[in-house]
Amino acid sequence: MIALQASRTLLIAATALGLSLSAGHAADDFDLSPQQPGRLHAARNDAAIAAIPKDFKFVTPGKLSIAVSPGGPPLATYATDAKTVIGADPDYAYAIADSLGLTLEILPVAWIDWPLGLTSGKYEAVIFNVGVTEQRKEKFDFSTYRQGLHGFFVKSDSPIASIKEPKDAAGLRIIVGAGTNQERILLRWSDEDFAADLKPIELQYYDDEAASLIALHSGRADVIVQPHAQLVFIAARDKNIKRVGTLSAGWPDRSDVAIATRKGSGLADALTIATNGLIRDGTYAKILDHWHLTEEALPASETNPPGLPKY
């Protein structure tokens, strides 16, 4: 037993080391340099500027202070200099600031701290991969900018070609995070499969990403489900998994990710107008394409749309 435990520990350590070293290969698909020469700039949007309430007080005059969570590429991470925040969310924040005729100030903030920081006025907005929920709408206003998606990914040589609905996942062994929204949805999928006389889904749980990827590549699992953006980066980094489908965080409805602002501050409508301007002129699509997130594009931004219900 001790020998088996030691072997497993060595395997996980070696795999984790390999994954860390292979991160350098992601440079072929993602620019993680602090200079970001490919960053797009947006034109001034007079309609969005006019929508800012006349009495709105910015934290710093002439600047748009936005909190961002450098949780990992491609959404937001620290560049190779270990201090510059880069990614799809920062690029979008720069484009929004340009649209409003303001200079962007990015403030790296931990996920747990953003609600208090926003309500206390430390920054004007949060671009944090925050999903719109009915509960959050009680305290914050939202301006949507991406779809909230989870990804179905399999080994590159897997015979699984597409997962779009419950019957496509019947009988599959799927790795998912415990207590997550995607687990809740997949449990509903499994119930539907069982009711249709199909095999239920077998959900598997692992302590960390490395262990999950080992299980997938060793054949102990068929599919891994995580937030889509995370898996897009892993696929580019490791070159051995592929996407076979996406799952809306609000399945069967669409669920969107949004800029969060203080409730009643009046800034959300201006941000929505700015985002729709970026969508119309193509800047928005170019930002998402640059970070391989085209699947998460919205047809239009909305202020305070229906969010995930309270459970």
Side-chain angles (χ1 to χ4, degrees):
M1 176 63 72
I2 294 175
L4 285 173
Q5 290 177 336
S7 296
R8 184 176 184 276
T9 300
L10 288 172
L11 175 60
I12 292 175
T15 302
L17 177 60
L19 293 176
S20 175
L21 292 174
S22 67
H25 296 301
D28 297 338
D29 300 89
F30 296 98
D31 175 18
L32 302 182
S33 71
Q35 293 81 16
Q36 292 297 293
R39 177 176 290 142
L40 296 169
H41 293 280
R44 177 186 174 98
N45 186 325
D46 291 334
I49 294 170
I52 300 172
K54 301 302 181 185
D55 59 351
F56 186 85
K57 301 295 184 184
F58 288 92
V59 175
T60 304
K63 291 187 176 182
L64 181 64
S65 300
I66 292 184
V68 175
S69 174
L75 293 182
T77 189
Y78 286 107
T80 51
D81 66 354
K83 62 181 181 180
T84 304
V85 180
I86 62 169
D89 281 352
D91 278 6
Y92 170 69
Y94 275 104
I96 287 292
D98 288 343
S99 298
L100 298 179
L102 300 167
T103 300
L104 179 66
E105 180 180 22
I106 289 182
L107 301 173
V109 177
W111 171 266
I112 196 172
D113 295 329
W114 75 259
L116 179 59
L118 186 56
T119 54
S120 65
K122 289 184 177 180
Y123 27 82
E124 280 85 40
V126 169
I127 297 181
F128 240 53
N129 201 37
V130 179
V132 181
T133 70
E134 290 303 309
Q135 185 170 7
R136 287 173 180 159
K137 282 167 60 180
E138 294 174 359
K139 296 183 178 180
F140 306 101
D141 287 328
F142 291 97
S143 176
T144 60
Y145 72 99
R146 277 193 297 106
Q147 291 188 60
L149 292 183
H150 306 300
F152 291 104
F153 278 67
V154 299
K155 290 194 300 181
S156 296
D157 60 355
S158 171
I160 300 169
S162 177
I163 299 176
K164 295 181 178 179
E165 54 187 322
K167 67 181 180 63
D168 299 331
L172 295 181
R173 300 165 298 169
I174 300 181
I175 298 168
V176 69
T180 61
N181 189 48
Q182 53 266 37
E183 179 199 29
R184 179 186 60 80
I185 294 171
L186 289 174
L187 286 171
R188 289 173 60 190
W189 277 33
S190 189
D191 289 343
E192 287 194 17
D193 286 336
F194 184 78
D197 291 327
L198 298 172
K199 290 183 178 179
I201 297 170
E202 178 188 320
L203 297 184
Q204 297 185 5
Y205 306 91
Y206 294 91
D207 292 336
D208 53 43
E209 181 180 283
S212 296
L213 292 174
I214 290 171
L216 184 66
H217 292 300
S218 67
R220 297 201 303 273
D222 303 305
V223 185
I224 184 170
V225 176
Q226 284 182 199
H228 175 253
Q230 295 176 5
L231 290 171
V232 165
F233 182 78
I234 292 171
R237 180 192 69 190
D238 298 348
K239 314 293 186 186
N240 57 12
I241 63 173
K242 64 181 180 181
R243 179 179 54 235
V244 293
T246 57
L247 174 67
S248 171
W251 182 89
D253 300 315
R254 196 182 77 199
S255 176
D256 295 339
V257 171
I259 309 175
T261 52
R262 290 188 297 280
K263 190 73 177 177
S265 70
L267 192 58
D269 284 338
L271 297 173
T272 298
I273 293 169
T275 298
N276 282 324
L278 296 172
I279 291 173
R280 284 193 301 271
D281 71 16
T283 302
Y284 170 83
K286 290 176 181 177
I287 291 172
L288 291 183
D289 181 65
H290 180 71
W291 293 100
H292 298 225
L293 296 175
T294 299
E295 290 76 15
E296 301 190 9
L298 287 175
S301 175
E302 298 178 79
T303 299
N304 291 329
L308 292 178
K310 297 178 181 178
Y311 295 108

